[in-house]
Amino acid sequence: MVGIDSPFTWAASDTDATSTACAPTEQQQQMLARVNEARNQARQCGEQSFNAAGPLTWSCPLTAAAQAHADDMAENDYFSHTGQDGNSVDERATQQSYAWRTVGENIAAGHTTADAAIESWINSPGHCHNLMNDDFTEMGMAHAENADARFTHYWVQTLGAPR
């Protein structure tokens, strides 16, 4: 941990982890804890078995990338890993000054809670693979809501490992 008393850890790639602008909300802390709880157990993701994976740390740049994509999907009423401007998760992470070795993304729509979104990823082989991938060491996660959009709730988890 970096200078704060907290039940989660900050990513080493965050340059100002103690700033309030970067501090995860209570909901984000709960999301990280739920994801790490899932990673702490060996599981079957479709036909692939995974050993328990190490815990992820919270990353502010990955959260910013996730929030930008969640906001874009909610505002423009679409659901895709590709942004309206054609960008991908690696481009979104780079735009947030995240120097990555590897990145990945899980998206969900229509779920009213973070737990429901995370549970849907656990039950989906491809999303579960991302969640359990031990190459990832950091995550950010975000939610956007638009009552006029088809799904109302949009969730994005951006996973990564820095260079």
Side-chain angles (χ1 to χ4, degrees):
M1 278 188 223
V2 179
I4 57 176
D5 184 23
S6 173
F8 59 94
T9 56
W10 296 99
S13 63
D14 295 337
T15 56
D16 189 13
T18 60
S19 79
T20 56
C22 183
T25 65
E26 183 177 331
Q27 181 185 46
Q28 290 169 330
Q29 292 174 42
Q30 291 169 354
M31 290 186 289
L32 178 62
R34 177 68 179 99
V35 167
N36 281 334
E37 177 184 301
R39 285 172 61 91
N40 193 41
Q41 303 172 38
R43 69 179 64 249
Q44 189 77 23
C45 298
E47 302 209 4
Q48 189 169 2
S49 295
F50 286 86
N51 292 324
L56 298 172
T57 57
W58 192 260
S59 166
C60 295
L62 292 178
T63 299
Q67 191 67 64
H69 192 50
D71 289 345
D72 186 42
M73 289 191 295
E75 290 169 17
N76 294 295
D77 195 15
Y78 75 99
F79 183 68
S80 174
H81 287 284
T82 303
Q84 286 287 289
D85 61 0
N87 69 7
S88 60
V89 63
D90 56 328
E91 293 166 315
R92 289 188 288 274
T94 299
Q95 287 169 354
Q96 299 301 325
S97 301
Y98 186 76
W100 53 272
R101 181 175 44 83
T102 186
V103 290
E105 179 178 74
N106 285 335
I107 61 175
H111 302 288
T112 58
T113 67
D115 276 346
I118 293 166
E119 191 64 29
S120 76
W121 295 330
I122 291 169
N123 293 321
S124 165
H127 296 99
C128 180
H129 179 274
N130 277 346
L131 196 81
M132 295 302 294
N133 186 339
D134 211 23
D135 289 342
F136 296 131
T137 59
E138 301 176 354
M139 73 166 260
M141 189 168 161
H143 170 254
E145 186 174 340
N146 178 354
D148 295 327
R150 179 173 42 153
F151 295 111
T152 306
H153 297 274
Y154 295 82
W155 300 89
V156 178
Q157 178 189 43
T158 306
L159 303 131
R163 276 187 248 156

